[in-house]
């Protein structure tokens, strides 16, 4: 349905997309993941010509949309976009947001459009908000309305540009639920997202974009569980992990705790694990207090979905030493706690860095 | 961290609320030091509302306990549950101080 | 501007060449001179045919009407006019610059025409004509009807039979003095009289049928009329159709030419200038004698009466009129263009005249006069009649007592203020004196009015006992008659034309009033006026405050902002009539002649005005105007009729100058200037259109051809003469300083008295009455309100649309459009609106006739557009880009995205700021008065200038502006609500 060949996009001197080629077939749900700034959104925006590509070709249903004679607005009507910042029409009610397109562009009668709109709102669970205005809705509600608005145009494909990135974690699920439903109903979708779990559940294909190209693509099992290429691997891992840098002994414990908590929520870890993790981190850092005076410490917490294993990585520069052992301690309390919380503690010197890997005991 | 102080005839009951970690432990030490300066020497620490304790907290307990001893006073721990209990367990702290399940029993013990 | 002018020069030059300026104006002294001149003739007349015959090398131009030819000759396009003698005579009466050449071109016979086939009647008529020739009637008629000046015809009333077969006489009653319509719409003139004589002889009633000349012969032939008596020449051709009687009048075709310039330059500044010039004198008067004795080389024009002599001066037929000073003073008062020379010609005494040897009566008179001198009666008389305006005669006791002795007094009742006709009776100093004498002598005085020259013979013949008629005592007269002791002393002085170039001199009235010392005080003057200039040069140490309107000056004085104001003396007098809290300080500072102002290029209009002015001076209309407006202070406008076919005369006025010159009354302009302008327009057959502007703008408006004429008692100054050209002066006005009366508050009676319980309400009620109800002034306000609203709304509309366009340009990607728009915006936001308004009116649309309201809409609209553009832009830019992207990605074109999504949100956002700008606009429109638009503010000014009330009109105007703003705010709020998308929901919720 969509054939993209050697797409490239430059913003001034910056080449965001180098050479992207892909074919999208009907009914596919394709998630696009990758580090920030690698052009995922740009790629999406090129498809519906919000940004104009510098080179390459895009053929949609046999129509080369880069042809100056192409009727781009008509093509866009069949290909709607859901934005990160929702972009609902502020001056119109929810109902009017949904009916504007159909009435003005599809020549649908007003009554018919309103009937359809109401159905769609039911679909996304917001029928009672038909007469509300965008500024009266929560983020999640807005995004759901945005999706309904797209659907009102009966598109053949929907483009999602980080649909949940601007949402409070509590509202992410309601939106994802709607998208899941659409996938189930067979809508062709391209979704740029950071929600790995979601992407994994819902996609038929995953694209990992990096360095201006589609670095790796494949079914979700491959990309998430078994990435083939190096950078993919790094990325997948990184996304899974929580990284925190501590620069001084007077670090903000509570800020860090909050982030840890966030990470845990995202990973949907039980409370006990959370508490143990926090304790572990605090104890480790207490011991490292002296080291912190001279070097920074990088913390990384990773959680493997598969194994459920929670790993704490403590990395620091400086002289070769195992901090846990070398630190001068007033008592054994801290160490005891650490030892009892962890299943294993491993020290490695790797590329000039001291690496401590502690694996949390199962709770 | 917050405190709830209740002076009983046998001892002063100090309920600690919140977290006793590297940040808040000094507060605990200071509080008790202050009370000891005023002449108190018998304490019952109520852990009912404490959510979290780390080694720093344990250390603080040790320090204050030592001082209480030197004054000839008593320090009893009561109402330890949940995460705090686990930490006590894994740190081997359980034997250092007399531990009671409730404040009442601790008070009873203190009277003797 | 300069560039434009240069471009036109060659065009003008060529036009000038082509417009027959080939031949120079010639002076025609004799028929010979006309051989190759430019001659005007009447279409279809015998004169036309004659001219073509006699002057084959001349340039003959035909005119439909003699007046057209006259105008042409006055502006130098003709050298001579050939026409019948009676017509020519009429012209010279009115245009004394013309004269008829002595030598006639051809003699023509004027006869009565009658139907062919009526020999009996022909014989009878010839018989009558013969007898009229023989008994001198015809000669007498000729003398009486063919006067060289404007003295009245001596018409003989004839008794005409009323019974019998009517004699129908065909006439063309537009040929004065042969046949014309008199004031009572009766056919008058030589022919009229002749017709009546014939009627009487034939014992038949006479009926006149007035028709066009061409129709007379056909009417005769078809028996609609019986005779044609209308100065018709018996030509061979006509003889084929009708019969003619013998000649009853020897007519001639004559040549009318312009006289050469008078001897010398005609300007008389001091007494000795009169020598060698033309002097008007009254026949047999002491002035006559004195003048001849003093100025032996002068040329003397003997006039019948003083009025004629004044006319002669005004029309430059004479350079000086020498007569009694008191009479001259009377004239000078009414004719501000004339002035009495300071140095007298001679000093003479006035006494009663008696028959030589009538010593008895003489001693009685002397006794009476002596008594009157001592008890001051004569002084009072002098003051009343000579220095003052006269008035009514004192009652006389010696009236109609039977059997009483009677004294017959002769007088020539044509000499104001001594003896003259007024209100149907003879009045004057001499008459009043006569009554007093009669009272004293217990005798009845019977007045006998006779020509001056007849008085001495009448005395000598004993037909009258004595004469009181401003008789000057001279040696020659003493030889003929006896004089009483003098009762008056007269100066014989010379009256001359005040020349326009003469420097401003103090008015030559009796009392010399010192100029007040205004140095060191604050003085208010009218911006741009001669008072302004005068004050600047004469009071360098005074603080001068220049105001735009006269009512502002008054207000400044009354509110104590200045110590004194300077304004037109005549107007001030009117103002003091209505406002007793002000008074003059000192006398007249200076007086200057005033004239109409014209665009420098429009010389023909100016000439036409001068001709018109001469006309009305001669036919009495001018005197009547001065009398009504200035002397008596009336304020009623006469209705002036006239055709409006010849286009429009645009006149610039200052509507609040003040009476007697110009004011608004009953929402209509009235005043001396207004009447003069309206009469002129009627004279031209044009419709008058007045533009009301501030005094300071009049000159500019005339110079840029926005108006044709300035009618605003415009003083003639050299600076102004650089910009515009002036007509002949039509009046002279003075300037005086005025102040608040000391203790002014108490001096003013009435409602301002503090402490009165009702005094708060009363002034408001009065104010309301005066400013709104009286003279339907509310109509003025309503009209001003309408103009303000129209300008505001139209400018807003224009500005909004233009602003949207400029905004689009400003936000476009094309660099040129963007720059253009930016420049437009900075320029218009950086220029004060007033300056913009004046620029557009006076510079951009210079010399273009455009409705000033349109100019206002353009100027305000442009200014508004600049602000609207920026407001729009900020509104659009404040809309989140995502809105646009959502629209685009939905499939809307850029335009529809803008219209459906961006625009509604923009409007919502900018509405509050737009509202503010709109209200500013409404208030800004109050400056349109500068380009002569009568808006609400101007209406307030006009009312202020009438009522001199500052508080009420200003408060009223402010309230109205507030109301307009409030109303507009309400409607915009309504608009806001309607466009608020949440509005509908709130409505349904409620």
């Amino acid at each position: 349905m969509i054939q993209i060949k050697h797409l490239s996009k430059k913003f001034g001197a910056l080449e965001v997309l180098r050479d992207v080629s892909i074919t999208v077939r009907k009914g596919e749900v394709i998630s696009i993941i990758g580090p920030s700034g690698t052009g995922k959104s740009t790629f999406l925006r090129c498809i519906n010509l919000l940004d104009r590509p510098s080179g390459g070709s895009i053929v949609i249903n046999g129509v080369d949309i880069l042809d100056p004679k192409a009727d781009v607005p008509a093509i866009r009507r069949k290909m709607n976009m859901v934005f990160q910042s929702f972009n609902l029409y502020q001056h119109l009610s929810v109902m009017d947001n949904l009916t504007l397109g159909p009435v003005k562009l599809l020549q649908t009668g007003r009554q018919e459009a309103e009937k359809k709109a109401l159905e769609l709102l039911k679909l996304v669970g917001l029928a009672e908000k038909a007469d509300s205005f965008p500024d009266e809705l929560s983020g999640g509600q807005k995004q759901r309305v945005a999706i309904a608005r797209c659907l009102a145009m009966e598109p053949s494909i929907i483009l999602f540009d980080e649909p949940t990135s601007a949402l409070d974690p509590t509202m992410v699920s309601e939106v994802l639920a709607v998208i899941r439903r659409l996938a189930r109903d067979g809508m062709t979708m391209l979704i740029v997202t950071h929600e790995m779990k979601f992407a994994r559940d819902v996609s038929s294909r995953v694209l990992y974009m990096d360095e201006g190209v589609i670095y790796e693509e494949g079914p979700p099992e491959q990309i998430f569980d078994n990435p083939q290429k190096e950078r993919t691997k790094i990325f997948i891992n990184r996304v899974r992990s929580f990284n925190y840098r501590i620069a001084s002994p007077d670090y903000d414990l509570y800020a860090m705790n909050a982030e840890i908590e966030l990470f845990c929520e995202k990973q949907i870890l039980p409370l006990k694990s959370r508490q143990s993790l926090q304790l572990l981190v605090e104890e480790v850092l207490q011991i490292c207090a002296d080291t912190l005076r001279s070097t920074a410490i990088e913390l990384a917490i990773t959680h493997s979905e598969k194994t459920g294993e929670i790993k704490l990585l403590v990395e620091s520069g400086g002289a070769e030493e195992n901090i846990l052992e070398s630190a001068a301690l007033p008592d054994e309390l801290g160490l005891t706690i650490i030892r009892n919380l962890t299943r294993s503690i491993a020290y490695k010197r790797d590329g000039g860095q001291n690496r401590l890997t502690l694996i949390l005991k199962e709770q | 961290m917050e405190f709830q102080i209740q002076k009983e005839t046998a001892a002063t009951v100090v309920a600690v609320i919140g977290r006793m970690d590297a940040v808040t432990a000094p507060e605990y030490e200071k509080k008790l030091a202050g009370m000891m300066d005023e002449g108190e020497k018998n304490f019952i620490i109520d852990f009912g509302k404490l959510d979290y304790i780390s080694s720093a907290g344990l250390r603080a307990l040790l320090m204050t306990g030592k001082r209480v001893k030197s004054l000839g006073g008593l320090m009893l721990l009561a109402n330890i549950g949940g995460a705090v209990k686990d930490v006590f367990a894994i740190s081997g702290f359980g034997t250092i101080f007399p531990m009671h399940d409730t404040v009442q029993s601790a008070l009873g013990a203190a009277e003797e | 501007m300069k560039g434009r002018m240069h471009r036109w020069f060659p065009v003008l030059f060529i036009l000038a060449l082509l417009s027959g300026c080939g031949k120079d104006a010639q002076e025609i002294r004799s028929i010979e001179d006309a051989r190759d001149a430019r001659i005007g003739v009447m279409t279809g007349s015998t004169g036309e045919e004659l001219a073509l015959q006699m002057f084959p090398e001349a340039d003959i131009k035909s005119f439909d009407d003699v007046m057209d030819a006259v105008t042409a000759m006055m502006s130098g396009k003709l050298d001579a006019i050939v026409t019948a003698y009676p017509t020519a005579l009429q012209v010279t009466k009115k245009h004394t610059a013309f004269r008829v050449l002595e030598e006639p071109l051809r003699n023509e016979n004027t006869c009565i025409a009658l139907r062919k086939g009526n020999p009996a009647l022909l014989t009878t008529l010839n018989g009558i004509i013969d007898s009229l020739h023989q008994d001198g009637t015809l000669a007498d008629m000729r003398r009486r009807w063919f006067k060289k000046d404007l003295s009245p015809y001596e018409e003989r009333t004839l008794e005409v039979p009323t019974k019998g077969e009517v004699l129908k006489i065909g006439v063309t009653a537009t040929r004065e003095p042969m046949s014309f319509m008199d004031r009572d719409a009766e056919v008058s003139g030589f022919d009229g009289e002749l017709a009546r004589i014939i009627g009487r002889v034939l014992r038949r009633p006479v009926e006149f049928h007035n028709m066009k000349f061409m129709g007379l012969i056909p009417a005769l032939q078809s028996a609609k009329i019986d005779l044609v008596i209308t100065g018709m020449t018996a030509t061979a051709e006509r003889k084929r159709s009708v019969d003619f009687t013998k000649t009853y009048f020897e007519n001639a075709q004559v040549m009318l030419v312009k006289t050469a310039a008078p001897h010398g330059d005609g300007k008389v500044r001091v007494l000795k200038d009169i020598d060698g010039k033309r002097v008007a004198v009254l026949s047999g008067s002491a002035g006559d004698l004195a003048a001849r004795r003093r100025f032996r080389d002068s040329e003397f024009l003997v006039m019948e009466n003083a009025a004629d002599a004044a006319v002669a001066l005004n029309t430059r037929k004479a350079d000086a009129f020498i007569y009694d000073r008191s009479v001259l003073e009377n004239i000078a008062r009414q004719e501000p263009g004339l002035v009495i020379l300071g140095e007298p010609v001679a000093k003479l005494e006035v006494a009663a005249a008696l028959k030589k040897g009538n010593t008895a009566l003489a001693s009685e008179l002397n006794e009476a006069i002596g008594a009157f001198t001592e008890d001051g009666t004569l002084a009072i008389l002098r003051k009343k009649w000579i220095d003052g305006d006269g008035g009514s005669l004192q009652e006389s006791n010696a009236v109609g007592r039977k059997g009483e002795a009677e004294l017959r007094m002769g007088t020539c009742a044509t000499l104001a203020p001594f003896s003259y006709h007024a209100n149907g009776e003879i009045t004057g100093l001499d008459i009043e004196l006569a009554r007093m004498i009669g009272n004293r002598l217990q005798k009845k005085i019977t007045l006998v009015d006779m020509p001056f020259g007849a008085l001495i013979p009448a005395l000598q013949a004993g037909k009258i006992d004595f004469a009181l008629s401003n008789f000057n005592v001279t040696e020659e007269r003493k030889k003929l008659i006896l004089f009483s002791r003098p009762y008056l002393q007269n100066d014989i002085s010379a009256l001359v034309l005040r020349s326009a170039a003469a420097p401003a001199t103090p008015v030559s009235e009796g009392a010399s009033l010192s100029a007040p010392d205004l140095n060191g005080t604050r003085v208010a003057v009218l911006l741009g006026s001669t008072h302004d200039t005068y004050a600047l040069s004469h009071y360098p140490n005074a603080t001068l405050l220049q105001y735009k309107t006269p009512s502002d000056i008054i207000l400044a004085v009354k509110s104590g902002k200045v110590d004194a104001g300077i304004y037109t003396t005549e107007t001030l007098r009117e103002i003091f009539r209505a406002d007793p809290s002000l008074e003059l300080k000192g006398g007249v500072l200076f007086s200057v002649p005033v004239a109409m102002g014209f665009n420098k290029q429009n010389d023909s209009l100016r000439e036409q005005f001068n001709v018109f002015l001469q006309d009305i001076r001669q036919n009495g209309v001018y005197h009547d105007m001065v009398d009504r407006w200035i002397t008596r202070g009336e304020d009623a406008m006469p209705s002036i009729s006239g055709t409006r076919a010849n286009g429009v005369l645009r006149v610039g006025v200052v509507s609040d100058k003040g009476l007697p010159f110009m004011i608004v009354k009953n929402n209509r302009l009235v005043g001396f200037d207004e009447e003069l302008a309206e009469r002129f327009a009627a004279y031209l057959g044009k419709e008058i259109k007045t533009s009301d502007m501030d005094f300071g703008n009049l000159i500019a408006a005339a110079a840029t051809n926005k108006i044709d004429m300035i009618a605003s008692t415009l003083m003639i100054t050299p600076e102004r003469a650089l910009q515009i050209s002036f007509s002949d002066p039509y009046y002279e006005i003075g300037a005086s300083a005025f102040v608040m009366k000391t203790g002014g508050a108490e001096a003013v009676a009435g409602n301002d008295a503090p402490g009165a319980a009702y005094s708060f309400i009363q002034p408001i009620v009065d104010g309301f009455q005066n400013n709104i109800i009286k003279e339907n002034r509310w109509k003025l306000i309503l009209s001003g309100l309408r103009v303000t609203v129209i300008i505001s709304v139209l400018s807003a509309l224009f500005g909004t649309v233009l602003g949207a366009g400029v905004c689009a340009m400003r936000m476009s990607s094309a660099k040129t459009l963007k720059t253009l728009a930016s420049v437009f915006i900075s320029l218009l936001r950086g220029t004060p609106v007033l300056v913009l308004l004046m620029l557009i009116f006076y510079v951009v649309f210079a010399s273009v006739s455009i409705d000033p309201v349109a100019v206002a809409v353009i100027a305000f609209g442009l200014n508004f557009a600049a602000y609207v553009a920026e407001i729009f832009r900020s509104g659009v830019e404040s809309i989140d880009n995502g809105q646009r992207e959502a629209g685009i990605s939905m499939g809307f074109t850029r335009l529809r995205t803008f219209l459906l999504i961006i625009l509604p949100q923009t409007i919502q956002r900018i509405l509050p700021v737009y509202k503010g700008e709109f209200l500013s606009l409404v208030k800004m429109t109050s400056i349109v008065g500068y380009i002569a638009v009568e808006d609400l503010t101007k209406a307030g000014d006009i009312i202020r200038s009438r009522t001199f009330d500052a508080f009420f009109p200003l408060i009223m105007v402010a309230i109205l502006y507030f109301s307009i703003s409030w109303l507009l705010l309400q409607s915009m709020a309504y608009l806001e609500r309607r466009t608020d998308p949440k509005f509908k929901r709130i409505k349904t919720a409620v």
Side-chain angles (χ1 to χ4, degrees), chain C residues 767-845:
Chain C
F768 195 77
Q769 172 70 20
N770 253 345
N771 288 291
I772 302 186
I773 310 292
K774 197 164 168 195
E775 291 186 12
N776 283 336
R777 286 181 181 136
W778 56 271
K779 281 200 185 148
L780 209 63
I781 297 170
L782 211 64
S783 151
L785 186 65
R786 199 168 56 95
V787 171
T788 294
V789 170
I790 287 178
I791 295 180
S792 305
V793 170
L794 286 181
S795 322
L797 278 173
F798 171 54
T800 305
V801 170
L802 181 63
V806 172
C807 178
M809 278 169 66
R810 177 80 178 76
M811 296 182 74
S812 88
S813 35
K815 196 118 198 250
T816 39
L817 286 177
K818 210 178 193 160
T819 324
L820 260 169
S822 296
V823 168
F824 174 84
I825 291 171
S826 332
L827 267 179
L828 280 157
R829 290 207 298 185
T831 314
V833 191
L834 180 55
V835 172
L836 185 67
L837 190 67
M838 306 262 251
L839 259 175
I840 295 183
F841 189 64
Y842 287 117
V843 176
V844 173
F845 284 113

Side-chain angles (χ1 to χ4, degrees), chain A residues 45 48 50 73 76-77 79-81 83 87-91 100-101 104-105 131-133 135-136 149 153, chain C residues 880-893 896 900-902 904-905 908-909 981-982 984-985:
Chain A
R45 288 161 66 94
N48 75 347
L50 271 182
R76 286 196 187 119
R77 275 172 220 154
M79 183 172 60
N80 262 297
M81 186 177 255
F83 296 86
N87 290 344
L88 290 181
Y89 302 134
Q90 298 292 324
H91 60 302
L100 184 73
K104 298 281 181 196
L105 292 170
D131 290 324
S132 303
F133 278 80
D135 58 2
E136 294 164 350
R149 183 174 68 171
M153 293 294 286
Chain C
D880 181 38
N881 210 22
Q883 297 289 303
R884 190 184 65 88
E885 287 188 352
I888 297 255
S889 65
M890 192 176 265
F892 284 110
T893 56
R896 290 190 91 182
L900 292 169
I901 295 161
I902 307 291
Q905 296 186 48
Q908 253 184 303
R909 256 171 234 223
K982 300 194 188 170
K984 279 183 253 172
R985 209 182 42 179

Side-chain angles (χ1 to χ4, degrees), chain B residues 8-88:
Chain B
E8 304 283 346
T9 36
T12 310
V13 181
V14 182
V16 283
I17 304 162
R19 287 167 62 101
M20 222 195 273
D21 53 31
V23 174
T24 56
E27 283 172 42
Y28 170 80
E29 278 185 74
K30 208 161 153 190
K31 191 80 186 178
L32 259 72
M35 283 196 274
M36 281 192 270
D37 289 342
E38 281 168 21
E40 318 224 358
K41 47 186 187 151
N42 297 324
F43 297 99
I44 297 174
I45 315 295
D46 180 354
F47 287 86
K49 297 198 185 116
L50 194 69
D51 300 321
Y52 174 97
I53 193 164
S54 69
S55 66
L58 295 174
R59 224 165 272 127
L61 283 170
L62 277 174
M63 289 294 147
T64 42
K66 269 201 191 136
R67 189 156 172 222
V68 165
K69 219 172 182 172
S70 70
L71 287 174
L74 279 174
M75 188 144 137
L76 302 157
L77 310 182
N79 228 341
I80 303 168
V84 178
K85 197 170 183 183
D86 292 336
V87 177
F88 269 61

Side-chain angles (χ1 to χ4, degrees), chain C residues 314-330:
Chain C
N314 271 329
T315 57
R316 289 172 219 203
K317 239 177 147 182
D319 302 307
F321 171 38
I322 296 184
Y323 200 61
D324 287 314
R325 197 186 182 94
S326 35
V327 175
L328 295 183
E329 278 178 358
N330 209 38

Side-chain angles (χ1 to χ4, degrees), chain C residues 834-913:
Chain C
L834 180 55
V835 172
L836 185 67
L837 190 67
M838 306 262 251
L839 259 175
I840 295 183
F841 189 64
Y842 287 117
V843 176
V844 173
F845 284 113
S847 307
V848 173
S849 171
I850 179 170
D851 189 343
V853 170
V855 171
V857 170
I858 292 174
F860 289 121
L862 284 173
N863 176 271
F864 196 60
Y867 286 96
V868 165
E870 285 297 90
I871 293 173
F872 245 59
R873 184 165 75 95
S874 70
V876 170
E877 283 180 358
S878 74
I879 308 283
D880 181 38
N881 210 22
Q883 297 289 303
R884 190 184 65 88
E885 287 188 352
I888 297 255
S889 65
M890 192 176 265
F892 284 110
T893 56
R894 272 212 298 257
L895 181 66
R896 290 190 91 182
T897 308
F898 179 75
L899 288 175
L900 292 169
I901 295 161
I902 307 291
L903 190 61
Q905 296 186 48
T906 308
I907 290 179
Q908 253 184 303
R909 256 171 234 223
I910 64 172
L911 214 46
V913 186

